Amino acid sequence: MRHSQKRPCVFKEFYPALLLRTFNFLHKAQIMIIGVPREIKNNENRVGITPGGAFELTKRGHTVYIQKDAGNHSGFTDAIYQEAGAQILDTIEEVYDIAEMIVKVKEPIEPEYHLIRENQIVFTYFHFASSEVLTQAMLKSKSICIAYETVEEPDRSLPLLTPMSEVAGRMAIQQGARYLEKPVKGRGVLLGGVPGVTPGKVLVLGAGVVGIQAAKMAAGLGAHVTILDISMKRLRYVNDIMPPHVVTEFSNEFNIRRHIKTHDLIIGGVLIPGAKAPKLITRDMLKEMRPGTVIVDVAVDQGGCVETSRPTTHEDPVFIIDDVVHYCVANMPGAVPYTSTVALTNVTLPYVLKIAGKGWVEACKAHVDLQKGLNLIKGEVVYQEISEAFDLPYKPVEFFI
């Protein structure tokens, strides 16, 4: 007598997934589809999330789609993402089409505008106040735009901007030192000097994260550093942590005009969250600088703190006006993508998990810091500084949540 073959228990096969979905239902959690497109901005080599981040999302039941080769320049292959539970899609169109939330690094650029759907969440760096074109495109899309750079904790710190500001501040000195070399039209000054020759002089505008990191790097090379800020609290902090060859002064036009005449490298590290950077160096000031002085305007992605600044790329990073070298690359951390991608995912992932697990409305209700990241909602401006930058109607975020 033949015994019938025992059939596999289908219920057992799907039991773990069923438990997860039951847990999510009981705890009012939801499952979300997250898309990570490949960055298409010029020489932007970072990717929106690491394989480790993808793993944390998929183990909670979310679906993660990564565009083919999106992580290659950061050192993360498609195979590594697949091992982490992510799925690979060939085209950027497929990623945008399927995802409920897009997680990326830089603001969408023109070829991406038409891909963004109504009610789709886009979580990235936007810097809206520096681009009316981008702002109008995202308003037209009626998407939910949550900007990394305006997520703000109660102490007014910017947790998602900090790691990239750290990278950019340190890179500002690396790049500034390079462009001080004579073959690239700099003054021909070695920042650290040598025995018998005075070191170079670095002027840092702003004692925030960028300014502190730039001052640390410059001081480490042996340069003489002057750092200006309007906050005495920040200047006292600099005095406490920096070596004696880093000096502080209160920032005003008189002091800026005085120092630009004698400093070799000027770092613009001023930030007003969500708003355009103030123009601390005007066109006429360039004539007071020595030929070959280098300006690195890290604030260029917020409009720049130098009147003559305009965004440049890693391919063509500098231009010269009145014999002053301007380095104004708007995505400086993109040149060191492995470091930058890991540092960025370290801070963005907890917020991605909150949005994916609760939906953007409940997540922003529960977390005021994340709520501050809301810039545009369904065709409305909900961030005051963006409204003021372009004279657009403003609607309080409370209207939506």
Side-chain angles (χ1 to χ4, degrees):
M1 180 176 178
R2 296 177 61 188
H3 295 281
S4 61
Q5 189 174 19
K6 189 174 182 181
R7 296 179 60 191
C9 177
V10 176
F11 180 74
K12 180 182 289 187
E13 183 179 347
F14 292 101
Y15 186 63
L18 180 63
L19 278 180
L20 179 61
R21 291 188 176 274
T22 303
F23 177 86
N24 287 332
F25 174 78
L26 292 174
H27 290 80
K28 298 183 178 180
Q30 65 176 52
I31 302 301
M32 188 173 282
I33 301 171
I34 296 105
V36 181
R38 186 168 65 241
E39 299 292 328
I40 58 175
K41 187 168 184 171
N42 182 284
N43 275 278
E44 179 49 70
N45 297 306
R46 291 170 288 181
V47 63
I49 201 165
T50 63
F55 177 81
E56 292 299 322
L57 285 160
T58 57
K59 81 176 187 181
R60 288 166 171 81
H62 305 295
T63 303
V64 178
Y65 288 102
I66 308 288
Q67 186 184 346
K68 181 178 173 58
D69 298 331
N72 276 3
H73 292 303
S74 294
F76 306 121
T77 64
D78 292 345
I80 296 173
Y81 279 109
Q82 289 173 315
E83 287 175 17
Q87 300 178 49
I88 305 299
L89 293 176
D90 286 334
T91 67
I92 194 170
E93 290 82 6
E94 289 175 291
V95 173
Y96 274 99
D97 186 58
I98 199 169
E100 298 168 89
M101 174 166 60
I102 294 292
V103 177
K104 60 194 310 290
V105 180
K106 292 301 290 181
E107 74 282 353
I109 61 175
E110 194 276 332
E112 294 172 277
Y113 292 166
H114 73 283
L115 300 177
I116 298 170
R117 307 191 313 273
E118 184 173 352
N119 293 322
Q120 190 172 46
I121 304 162
V122 184
F123 194 30
T124 189
Y125 288 117
F126 277 107
H127 301 289
F128 279 119
S130 67
S131 174
E132 187 170 7
V133 172
L134 171 67
T135 303
Q136 291 292 351
M138 292 303 96
L139 286 172
K140 184 179 178 181
S141 74
K142 295 187 178 181
S143 57
I144 314 302
C145 297
I146 308 177
Y148 291 161
E149 71 274 9
T150 64
V151 172
E152 184 179 322
E153 293 184 339
D155 63 359
R156 305 217 63 190
S157 64
L158 305 170
L160 306 192
L161 190 61
T162 294
M164 295 304 95
S165 295
E166 290 169 337
V167 172
R170 295 182 178 213
M171 284 191 67
I173 300 301
Q174 286 186 191
Q175 298 301 325
R178 175 189 173 194
Y179 285 99
L180 276 171
E181 296 172 7
K182 203 64 179 178
V184 284
K185 309 300 183 185
R187 289 200 66 238
V189 171
L190 181 65
L191 280 184
V194 293
V197 182
T198 56
K201 299 181 74 175
V202 178
L203 176 64
V204 179
L205 303 177
V209 176
V210 167
I212 293 289
Q213 296 302 319
K216 281 182 181 178
M217 289 290 283
L221 290 173
H224 182 280
V225 183
T226 302
I227 186 164
L228 306 184
D229 202 284
I230 59 173
S231 168
M232 289 305 302
K233 182 178 179 181
R234 294 299 299 173
L235 295 180
R236 290 189 179 98
Y237 174 71
V238 172
N239 263 24
D240 286 342
I241 67 167
M242 292 290 180
H245 58 290
V246 177
V247 298
T248 60
E249 283 194 35
F250 193 81
S251 182
N252 54 43
E253 185 177 343
F254 180 83
N255 284 339
I256 293 172
R257 285 185 179 272
R258 180 165 58 89
H259 285 301
I260 61 176
K261 298 174 183 178
T262 60
H263 282 68
D264 306 298
L265 172 59
I266 300 167
I267 307 297
V270 178
L271 173 71
I272 299 174
K276 282 188 175 179
K279 304 299 184 187
L280 300 184
I281 294 179
T282 56
R283 172 64 186 265
D284 68 289
M285 291 183 185
L286 300 189
K287 290 182 169 55
E288 300 181 37
M289 301 178 191
R290 295 172 295 187
T293 298
V294 175
I295 296 173
V296 179
D297 193 349
V298 184
V300 70
D301 54 8
Q302 286 291 105
C305 61
V306 179
E307 187 177 6
T308 47
S309 289
R310 57 175 171 79
T312 60
T313 67
H314 289 291
E315 272 185 358
D316 189 15
V318 299
F319 57 91
I320 298 173
I321 299 177
D322 292 340
D323 294 321
V324 174
V325 180
H326 294 60
Y327 179 97
C328 303
V329 175
N331 62 327
M332 290 173 66
V336 286
Y338 175 79
T339 297
S340 297
T341 294
V342 175
L344 185 59
T345 299
N346 287 345
V347 293
T348 58
L349 181 61
Y351 292 95
V352 174
L353 291 170
K354 289 169 186 174
I355 297 168
K358 297 180 179 180
W360 72 268
V361 173
E362 292 304 317
C364 289
K365 279 183 182 178
H367 305 282
V368 177
D369 50 349
L370 182 59
Q371 187 181 130
K372 294 271 191 177
L374 289 167
N375 282 201
L376 309 181
I377 300 176
K378 301 179 181 180
E380 303 284 352
V381 177
V382 297
Y383 200 85
Q384 187 77 50
E385 286 77 3
I386 299 171
S387 169
E388 293 171 356
F390 305 119
D391 194 26
L392 292 169
Y394 167 74
K395 185 170 284 189
V397 70
E398 290 78 15
F399 181 86
F400 295 95
I401 65 173

